[in-house]
Amino acid sequence: MSFIAIFLDVVMIGLLGTGIFYAVRLTRQLAEMRASRAEMQRFVIDFNQTVLRAEAGVQNLKHTARSSGDDLEKLIEKSHSLRDELMFLVESADQAANRLSQRATSAKSVAAPTPQTTTPSSPKNIKEPASAPKATVPKAEPFSFKAASTAEQELLRVLKKLG
């Protein structure tokens, strides 16, 4: 039995040595895992802070986009109203130009002497009596700002600014 006891003692010593070896190895791996866990925890904290900053940045971008969109919408509305005003001014200017053209045409037709045609039965040497009234050209009234509409006044003001 002594031989069996020694053999069993040697087997037990071998098993204990193997157990101690694996225990030391496991302890080292647990230490590395704890170090990795602390590093992973720092990484998670940094990642969380980065995500929070990114969310704040996205919210800031959304707010900026909304305010820019609102500003842009206001500018578009203002440009539409200015476009409408300009269209009104252009139409008024066209009407004023047409009226001026008609007045100029009528003034020219009144101012232009009508050619007198001589008929073959009338003598060529007979002059008209000196007392015959001559056609008078009516003076064109100077353009009055009081008589002009608001649109015409605005058009004149814009034209003066343009040069």
Side-chain angles (χ1 to χ4, degrees):
M1 279 215 200
S2 93
F3 180 68
I4 294 178
I6 292 177
F7 178 72
L8 284 176
D9 285 341
V10 170
V11 170
M12 285 297 266
I13 290 173
L15 288 173
L16 282 174
T18 306
I20 291 172
F21 172 75
Y22 280 111
V24 169
R25 190 171 163 198
L26 182 63
T27 304
R28 286 182 188 161
Q29 286 179 349
L30 286 173
E32 287 176 10
M33 193 169 156
R34 285 185 188 123
S36 296
R37 179 176 175 240
E39 187 177 320
M40 183 68 143
Q41 192 173 11
R42 282 193 308 267
F43 172 74
V44 167
I45 290 171
D46 290 343
F47 184 72
N48 188 28
Q49 289 174 351
T50 303
V51 167
L52 290 175
R53 282 192 307 242
E55 285 178 356
V58 167
Q59 291 298 327
N60 190 19
L61 283 173
K62 284 182 181 179
H63 181 268
T64 303
R66 280 189 202 117
S67 65
S68 296
D70 291 343
D71 293 344
L72 186 60
E73 189 174 321
K74 288 177 186 175
L75 285 173
I76 289 172
E77 288 175 9
K78 187 175 181 180
S79 68
H80 284 286
S81 65
L82 286 175
R83 180 198 62 193
D84 293 341
E85 279 186 46
L86 285 174
M87 287 177 67
F88 177 73
L89 287 174
V90 166
E91 289 172 4
S92 297
D94 284 342
Q95 291 173 358
N98 288 338
R99 283 195 305 259
L100 288 174
S101 175
Q102 289 172 355
R103 285 183 185 172
T105 304
S106 66
K108 283 182 183 178
S109 66
V110 169
T114 55
Q116 294 193 2
T117 56
T118 55
T119 58
S121 62
S122 65
K124 293 181 181 178
N125 292 339
I126 301 177
K127 292 183 180 178
E128 291 185 31
S131 64
K134 292 185 180 180
T136 58
V137 177
K139 272 191 167 180
E141 295 179 20
F143 188 74
S144 170
F145 284 105
K146 293 177 184 173
S149 69
T150 307
E152 291 170 335
Q153 290 176 359
E154 184 68 21
L155 177 63
L156 285 174
R157 186 180 61 79
V158 169
L159 289 174
K160 284 180 183 178
K161 281 185 180 179
L162 291 175

